[in-house]
Amino acid sequence: MSLDWIYFAISWILLTWHSAWDAIGVPVGEVIGTNWAWILAIVFLVVTVRVILFPVFVKQIKSQRAMQALQPKVKELQEKHKGDRETLQKEMMELYRKEKANPLMGCLPMFLQIPVFLGLFHVLRRLNPDKSEAGKTLYGWTVGQFDSASSATIFTAPIAGKFGSTAEELSRLGANGTTVKVIAGILVLVMMGTTYLTSRQMILKTGWAEDPQQRMIQRLMLYGIPLSLLISGAIFPIGVIIYWVTNNLFTLAQQQWVLRKFPPLVTNTKPGATAARNPVQPAKTGGFLNRKKPAAQAPAKPAAPKVAGPKPGAKPTNPKKGSRPAKRQG
Protein backbone atom coordinates (compact mmCIF):
# COMPACT_ATOMS: atom_id res chain seq x y z
CA MET A 1 0.00 0.00 0.00
CA SER A 2 1.35 3.40 -1.00
CA LEU A 3 2.07 5.87 1.80
CA ASP A 4 2.12 8.89 -0.51
CA TRP A 5 -1.03 10.30 1.10
CA ILE A 6 0.82 10.42 4.44
CA TYR A 7 3.82 12.15 2.83
CA PHE A 8 1.52 14.71 1.21
CA ALA A 9 -0.34 15.32 4.48
CA ILE A 10 2.84 15.75 6.55
CA SER A 11 4.38 18.01 3.90
CA TRP A 12 1.24 20.16 3.76
CA ILE A 13 1.10 20.65 7.56
CA LEU A 14 4.84 21.33 7.73
CA LEU A 15 4.81 23.84 4.86
CA THR A 16 1.66 25.54 6.14
CA TRP A 17 3.20 26.19 9.54
CA HIS A 18 6.48 27.31 7.99
CA SER A 19 4.59 29.81 5.82
CA ALA A 20 2.65 30.99 8.88
CA TRP A 21 5.80 31.68 10.89
CA ASP A 22 7.40 33.33 7.89
CA ALA A 23 4.34 35.60 7.51
CA ILE A 24 4.42 36.49 11.22
CA GLY A 25 8.00 37.66 10.85
CA VAL A 26 10.11 34.82 12.23
CA PRO A 27 13.55 35.25 10.61
CA VAL A 28 14.09 33.02 7.61
CA GLY A 29 17.86 33.12 8.06
CA GLU A 30 19.87 31.66 10.90
CA VAL A 31 19.66 33.12 14.40
CA ILE A 32 22.10 31.49 16.87
CA GLY A 33 22.85 29.01 14.10
CA THR A 34 19.18 28.01 13.90
CA ASN A 35 16.45 28.46 11.29
CA TRP A 36 13.62 28.97 13.77
CA ALA A 37 10.82 29.04 11.19
CA TRP A 38 11.53 25.41 10.27
CA ILE A 39 12.07 24.33 13.90
CA LEU A 40 8.75 25.91 14.89
CA ALA A 41 7.09 24.24 11.90
CA ILE A 42 8.17 20.84 13.26
CA VAL A 43 7.06 21.77 16.80
CA PHE A 44 3.62 22.82 15.60
CA LEU A 45 3.33 19.74 13.46
CA VAL A 46 3.32 17.95 16.83
CA VAL A 47 0.69 20.33 18.21
CA THR A 48 -1.54 19.74 15.16
CA VAL A 49 -1.32 15.97 15.43
CA ARG A 50 -1.88 15.94 19.20
CA VAL A 51 -4.95 18.15 18.97
CA ILE A 52 -6.41 15.77 16.38
CA LEU A 53 -5.63 12.74 18.59
CA PHE A 54 -6.79 14.29 21.87
CA PRO A 55 -10.17 12.42 21.90
CA VAL A 56 -8.27 9.16 21.42
CA PHE A 57 -6.01 10.06 24.34
CA VAL A 58 -9.04 10.61 26.60
CA LYS A 59 -10.41 7.21 25.53
CA GLN A 60 -7.04 5.71 26.43
CA ILE A 61 -7.29 7.11 29.97
CA LYS A 62 -10.87 5.88 30.38
CA SER A 63 -9.88 2.43 29.13
CA GLN A 64 -7.05 2.29 31.63
CA ARG A 65 -9.51 3.23 34.39
CA ALA A 66 -11.77 0.37 33.28
CA MET A 67 -8.80 -2.00 33.37
CA GLN A 68 -8.00 -0.84 36.89
CA ALA A 69 -11.58 -1.43 38.04
CA LEU A 70 -11.28 -5.03 36.81
CA GLN A 71 -8.09 -5.75 38.74
CA PRO A 72 -9.89 -7.44 41.70
CA LYS A 73 -11.68 -9.80 39.29
CA VAL A 74 -8.43 -10.44 37.42
CA LYS A 75 -6.74 -11.36 40.70
CA GLU A 76 -9.57 -13.76 41.53
CA LEU A 77 -9.13 -15.47 38.15
CA GLN A 78 -5.39 -15.73 38.73
CA GLU A 79 -5.96 -17.44 42.07
CA LYS A 80 -8.67 -19.69 40.64
CA HIS A 81 -6.68 -20.85 37.61
CA LYS A 82 -3.23 -20.81 39.16
CA GLY A 83 -0.97 -23.05 37.10
CA ASP A 84 -3.39 -23.24 34.14
CA ARG A 85 -2.18 -20.42 31.93
CA GLU A 86 -4.30 -21.32 28.91
CA THR A 87 -7.58 -21.33 30.85
CA LEU A 88 -6.55 -18.13 32.65
CA GLN A 89 -6.00 -16.33 29.35
CA LYS A 90 -9.37 -17.49 28.00
CA GLU A 91 -11.21 -16.39 31.15
CA MET A 92 -9.46 -13.02 31.16
CA MET A 93 -10.26 -12.36 27.49
CA GLU A 94 -13.89 -13.25 28.21
CA LEU A 95 -13.88 -10.85 31.16
CA TYR A 96 -12.45 -8.05 29.01
CA ARG A 97 -15.05 -8.75 26.29
CA LYS A 98 -17.93 -8.80 28.79
CA GLU A 99 -16.84 -5.57 30.50
CA LYS A 100 -15.90 -3.92 27.16
CA ALA A 101 -12.33 -3.24 28.30
CA ASN A 102 -9.50 -3.25 25.76
CA PRO A 103 -5.98 -3.99 27.11
CA LEU A 104 -4.43 -2.63 23.90
CA MET A 105 -6.16 0.75 24.13
CA GLY A 106 -3.25 2.06 26.23
CA CYS A 107 -0.97 1.83 23.19
CA LEU A 108 -3.45 3.16 20.61
CA PRO A 109 -2.34 6.84 20.62
CA MET A 110 1.26 5.75 20.09
CA PHE A 111 0.29 3.41 17.23
CA LEU A 112 -1.71 6.18 15.53
CA GLN A 113 1.33 8.45 15.63
CA ILE A 114 3.57 5.91 13.90
CA PRO A 115 2.40 6.93 10.37
CA VAL A 116 3.12 10.58 11.22
CA PHE A 117 6.59 9.67 12.45
CA LEU A 118 7.30 7.57 9.34
CA GLY A 119 5.98 10.34 7.10
CA LEU A 120 8.21 12.99 8.67
CA PHE A 121 11.17 10.59 8.61
CA HIS A 122 10.70 10.04 4.87
CA VAL A 123 10.18 13.72 4.08
CA LEU A 124 13.24 14.94 6.01
CA ARG A 125 15.43 12.12 4.77
CA ARG A 126 14.83 13.33 1.20
CA LEU A 127 16.24 16.80 1.90
CA ASN A 128 19.22 16.92 -0.39
CA PRO A 129 20.26 20.08 -2.28
CA ASP A 130 21.57 17.93 -5.17
CA LYS A 131 18.15 16.49 -6.05
CA SER A 132 16.62 17.23 -9.43
CA GLU A 133 13.78 19.71 -9.76
CA ALA A 134 11.28 16.86 -10.14
CA GLY A 135 12.52 15.34 -6.88
CA LYS A 136 12.34 18.65 -5.05
CA THR A 137 8.74 19.39 -6.05
CA LEU A 138 7.45 15.99 -4.94
CA TYR A 139 4.65 15.96 -2.28
CA GLY A 140 3.63 19.57 -2.98
CA TRP A 141 6.97 21.30 -2.26
CA THR A 142 8.34 24.17 -4.31
CA VAL A 143 12.00 24.32 -5.26
CA GLY A 144 12.52 27.31 -2.96
CA GLN A 145 10.87 25.55 0.01
CA PHE A 146 12.91 22.41 -0.58
CA ASP A 147 16.20 24.31 -0.78
CA SER A 148 15.31 26.31 2.34
CA ALA A 149 14.53 23.14 4.32
CA SER A 150 17.67 21.42 3.03
CA SER A 151 19.84 24.20 4.44
CA ALA A 152 17.82 24.60 7.69
CA THR A 153 19.88 24.04 10.84
CA ILE A 154 19.64 23.90 14.61
CA PHE A 155 22.77 25.28 16.26
CA THR A 156 24.55 24.90 12.89
CA ALA A 157 23.60 21.19 12.54
CA PRO A 158 21.27 20.53 9.56
CA ILE A 159 17.86 19.10 10.48
CA ALA A 160 18.32 16.52 7.71
CA GLY A 161 21.59 15.30 9.25
CA LYS A 162 21.82 12.39 11.67
CA PHE A 163 24.30 10.89 14.12
CA GLY A 164 25.13 8.13 11.64
CA SER A 165 25.46 10.36 8.57
CA THR A 166 28.19 9.30 6.17
CA ALA A 167 30.91 11.69 5.04
CA GLU A 168 29.22 11.90 1.62
CA GLU A 169 25.85 12.85 3.18
CA LEU A 170 27.48 15.48 5.38
CA SER A 171 29.32 16.89 2.36
CA ARG A 172 26.05 17.26 0.41
CA LEU A 173 24.47 19.08 3.36
CA GLY A 174 27.57 21.22 3.88
CA ALA A 175 27.71 20.11 7.53
CA ASN A 176 30.48 19.55 10.05
CA GLY A 177 30.53 15.91 11.18
CA THR A 178 31.53 16.67 14.77
CA THR A 179 28.81 19.29 15.21
CA VAL A 180 26.14 16.96 13.81
CA LYS A 181 27.20 14.13 16.12
CA VAL A 182 27.24 16.36 19.21
CA ILE A 183 23.82 17.93 18.53
CA ALA A 184 22.27 14.62 17.45
CA GLY A 185 23.80 12.79 20.44
CA ILE A 186 22.43 15.32 22.94
CA LEU A 187 19.00 15.21 21.34
CA VAL A 188 18.97 11.39 21.37
CA LEU A 189 19.69 11.38 25.11
CA VAL A 190 16.93 13.93 25.68
CA MET A 191 14.61 11.79 23.54
CA MET A 192 15.39 8.71 25.65
CA GLY A 193 14.93 10.59 28.92
CA THR A 194 11.60 12.17 27.99
CA THR A 195 10.31 8.86 26.61
CA TYR A 196 11.10 7.20 29.94
CA LEU A 197 9.46 10.02 31.90
CA THR A 198 6.20 9.82 29.94
CA SER A 199 5.83 6.11 30.74
CA ARG A 200 6.94 6.56 34.35
CA GLN A 201 4.45 9.38 34.91
CA MET A 202 1.54 7.22 33.80
CA ILE A 203 2.61 4.18 35.85
CA LEU A 204 3.14 6.22 39.02
CA LYS A 205 -0.34 7.66 38.65
CA THR A 206 -2.23 4.51 37.65
CA GLY A 207 -0.11 1.84 39.35
CA TRP A 208 1.38 -1.44 38.15
CA ALA A 209 -1.13 -3.87 36.64
CA GLU A 210 -1.95 -7.15 38.37
CA ASP A 211 -2.24 -8.92 35.04
CA PRO A 212 1.23 -10.31 34.11
CA GLN A 213 0.60 -9.55 30.44
CA GLN A 214 -0.28 -5.94 31.19
CA ARG A 215 2.69 -5.60 33.53
CA MET A 216 5.00 -6.90 30.80
CA ILE A 217 3.66 -4.21 28.45
CA GLN A 218 4.27 -1.59 31.14
CA ARG A 219 7.87 -2.74 31.60
CA LEU A 220 8.39 -2.69 27.84
CA MET A 221 7.07 0.87 27.64
CA LEU A 222 9.13 1.99 30.64
CA TYR A 223 12.50 0.39 29.88
CA GLY A 224 12.49 -1.32 26.48
CA ILE A 225 11.47 1.55 24.21
CA PRO A 226 13.85 4.17 25.73
CA LEU A 227 16.78 1.75 25.47
CA SER A 228 15.93 0.90 21.87
CA LEU A 229 16.18 4.60 20.99
CA LEU A 230 19.88 4.55 21.86
CA ILE A 231 20.44 2.46 18.72
CA SER A 232 17.63 3.61 16.43
CA GLY A 233 18.29 7.26 17.27
CA ALA A 234 21.50 7.07 15.22
CA ILE A 235 19.49 6.77 11.98
CA PHE A 236 16.89 9.44 12.81
CA PRO A 237 17.32 12.84 11.14
CA ILE A 238 17.74 15.62 13.70
CA GLY A 239 14.39 17.07 12.64
CA VAL A 240 12.67 13.78 13.51
CA ILE A 241 14.32 13.74 16.94
CA ILE A 242 13.08 17.29 17.53
CA TYR A 243 9.59 16.04 16.65
CA TRP A 244 9.92 13.11 19.10
CA VAL A 245 11.22 15.25 21.98
CA THR A 246 8.47 17.85 21.43
CA ASN A 247 5.88 15.08 21.29
CA ASN A 248 7.15 13.68 24.62
CA LEU A 249 7.00 17.10 26.30
CA PHE A 250 3.47 17.59 24.99
CA THR A 251 2.54 14.14 26.34
CA LEU A 252 3.93 14.93 29.80
CA ALA A 253 1.84 18.11 30.02
CA GLN A 254 -1.26 16.48 28.58
CA GLN A 255 -1.05 13.45 30.86
CA GLN A 256 -0.65 15.69 33.90
CA TRP A 257 -3.82 17.58 32.98
CA VAL A 258 -5.87 14.48 32.14
CA LEU A 259 -4.74 12.58 35.25
CA ARG A 260 -5.82 15.52 37.42
CA LYS A 261 -9.18 15.65 35.66
CA PHE A 262 -9.65 11.86 35.76
CA PRO A 263 -7.86 10.69 38.94
CA PRO A 264 -7.03 6.97 39.32
CA LEU A 265 -9.87 4.77 40.53
CA VAL A 266 -7.60 2.44 42.49
CA THR A 267 -4.17 2.67 44.07
CA ASN A 268 -1.93 -0.17 43.02
CA THR A 269 1.84 -0.20 43.19
CA LYS A 270 4.56 -2.58 42.14
CA PRO A 271 5.35 -5.02 44.92
CA GLY A 272 8.60 -4.71 46.83
CA ALA A 273 10.91 -1.82 47.48
CA THR A 274 9.76 0.11 44.42
CA ALA A 275 6.25 0.35 45.79
CA ALA A 276 7.50 1.79 49.06
CA ARG A 277 9.77 4.23 47.32
CA ASN A 278 7.32 5.36 44.64
CA PRO A 279 3.81 5.25 46.05
CA VAL A 280 0.88 5.93 43.77
CA GLN A 281 -0.62 9.31 44.38
CA PRO A 282 -4.31 8.98 45.24
CA ALA A 283 -7.08 11.44 44.51
CA LYS A 284 -6.83 14.77 46.27
CA THR A 285 -9.93 14.14 48.39
CA GLY A 286 -8.12 11.48 50.40
CA GLY A 287 -4.92 13.45 51.02
CA PHE A 288 -1.41 12.34 50.21
CA LEU A 289 -1.20 8.57 50.77
CA ASN A 290 -4.65 8.82 52.37
CA ARG A 291 -3.15 10.28 55.55
CA LYS A 292 -6.00 12.72 55.96
CA LYS A 293 -8.68 10.08 55.61
CA PRO A 294 -8.23 8.31 58.99
CA ALA A 295 -8.24 11.69 60.77
CA ALA A 296 -11.55 12.58 59.12
CA GLN A 297 -13.07 9.26 60.22
CA ALA A 298 -11.95 9.55 63.85
CA PRO A 299 -14.89 10.01 66.27
CA ALA A 300 -15.29 13.52 67.60
CA LYS A 301 -16.54 12.34 71.03
CA PRO A 302 -14.64 10.15 73.53
CA ALA A 303 -15.52 6.48 73.52
CA ALA A 304 -16.35 6.32 77.26
CA PRO A 305 -19.25 8.66 78.14
CA LYS A 306 -19.06 10.60 81.38
CA VAL A 307 -21.90 11.28 83.82
CA ALA A 308 -23.18 14.77 83.31
CA GLY A 309 -22.43 17.06 86.28
CA PRO A 310 -24.72 19.75 87.67
CA LYS A 311 -24.89 23.02 85.88
CA PRO A 312 -22.97 25.93 87.44
CA GLY A 313 -25.09 27.56 90.25
CA ALA A 314 -27.66 24.76 90.40
CA LYS A 315 -28.67 23.23 93.80
CA PRO A 316 -27.14 19.78 94.30
CA THR A 317 -29.56 16.90 94.21
CA ASN A 318 -29.37 13.68 96.20
CA PRO A 319 -30.76 10.67 94.43
CA LYS A 320 -31.46 8.91 97.80
CA LYS A 321 -33.41 11.85 99.22
CA GLY A 322 -36.70 10.61 97.83
CA SER A 323 -36.43 7.26 99.70
CA ARG A 324 -35.94 8.67 103.22
CA PRO A 325 -39.56 9.79 103.82
CA ALA A 326 -40.71 6.27 103.13
CA LYS A 327 -38.55 4.93 105.98
CA ARG A 328 -39.91 7.56 108.45
CA GLN A 329 -43.49 6.52 107.70
CA GLY A 330 -42.64 2.95 108.53
Side-chain angles (χ1 to χ4, degrees):
M1 184 178 68
S2 174
L3 295 178
D4 284 355
W5 66 274
I6 295 178
Y7 306 148
F8 272 103
I10 297 302
S11 295
W12 182 83
I13 297 173
L14 199 64
L15 294 174
T16 299
W17 277 114
H18 178 263
S19 299
W21 294 117
D22 188 19
I24 291 172
V26 175
V28 177
E30 294 185 8
V31 178
I32 319 177
T34 304
N35 298 96
W36 293 105
W38 283 109
I39 301 302
L40 288 173
I42 295 173
V43 169
F44 277 80
L45 169 64
V46 174
V47 174
T48 304
V49 173
R50 296 308 296 266
V51 168
I52 294 172
L53 293 180
F54 184 76
V56 179
F57 184 81
V58 174
K59 287 184 179 180
Q60 174 197 21
I61 297 295
K62 291 182 177 180
S63 176
Q64 288 174 336
R65 296 295 180 268
M67 292 296 296
Q68 285 180 300
L70 292 177
Q71 289 308 306
K73 293 182 179 180
V74 170
K75 196 169 184 179
E76 289 178 8
L77 290 176
Q78 290 172 342
E79 293 293 333
K80 181 179 179 181
H81 301 290
K82 194 173 183 180
D84 189 351
R85 188 175 184 85
E86 184 177 352
T87 304
L88 174 63
Q89 292 298 326
K90 289 181 180 179
E91 291 288 338
M92 289 178 60
M93 292 305 295
E94 178 64 21
L95 175 64
Y96 294 151
R97 185 194 64 79
K98 183 179 178 182
E99 300 295 336
K100 297 180 180 180
N102 188 353
L104 299 179
M105 181 60 74
C107 302
L108 184 59
M110 182 185 70
F111 288 146
L112 292 178
Q113 291 182 74
I114 290 177
V116 180
F117 173 82
L118 293 177
L120 183 63
F121 178 85
H122 177 76
V123 168
L124 294 185
R125 188 179 59 175
R126 294 185 63 258
L127 295 179
N128 176 7
D130 296 337
K131 277 189 178 296
S132 63
E133 182 175 343
K136 291 180 179 181
T137 56
L138 198 60
Y139 309 132
W141 291 68
T142 66
V143 174
Q145 289 170 331
F146 190 93
D147 290 340
S148 175
S150 298
S151 60
T153 59
I154 177 170
F155 303 121
T156 71
I159 61 174
K162 50 186 180 291
F163 187 89
S165 291
T166 64
E168 182 182 354
E169 291 172 337
L170 292 171
S171 176
R172 286 200 300 264
L173 295 171
N176 179 279
T178 302
T179 302
V180 170
K181 281 182 168 52
V182 169
I183 298 299
I186 292 173
L187 288 173
V188 167
L189 293 177
V190 174
M191 177 174 63
M192 293 173 61
T194 52
T195 301
Y196 170 81
L197 289 175
T198 54
S199 298
R200 182 175 180 271
Q201 181 191 51
M202 182 62 73
I203 292 174
L204 287 180
K205 291 287 184 179
T206 60
W208 288 88
E210 292 287 345
D211 178 15
Q213 192 174 27
Q214 289 294 306
R215 185 171 294 184
M216 181 180 68
I217 294 175
Q218 286 179 321
R219 287 198 179 105
L220 176 64
M221 297 288 290
L222 186 62
Y223 303 114
I225 293 180
L227 287 175
S228 68
L229 295 176
L230 185 62
I231 299 173
S232 58
I235 64 172
F236 293 163
I238 288 175
V240 172
I241 303 177
I242 293 171
Y243 170 88
W244 194 306
V245 170
T246 306
N247 187 63
N248 286 344
L249 294 175
F250 195 100
T251 299
L252 285 169
Q254 186 172 264
Q255 282 183 171
Q256 185 67 21
W257 180 84
V258 173
L259 289 170
R260 284 179 179 273
K261 189 172 180 63
F262 303 99
L265 297 176
V266 294
T267 56
N268 184 27
T269 55
K270 186 178 178 181
T274 305
R277 189 168 57 249
N278 297 319
V280 177
Q281 297 179 9
K284 291 182 178 181
T285 54
F288 180 66
L289 296 180
N290 287 331
R291 290 177 182 173
K292 294 182 181 179
K293 192 173 181 180
Q297 294 176 348
K301 297 181 179 181
K306 295 181 180 180
V307 178
K311 295 181 179 179
K315 186 177 179 179
T317 57
N318 190 345
K320 296 182 179 181
K321 187 176 182 180
S323 63
R324 290 178 183 175
K327 290 182 179 180
R328 290 176 183 175
Q329 290 176 2

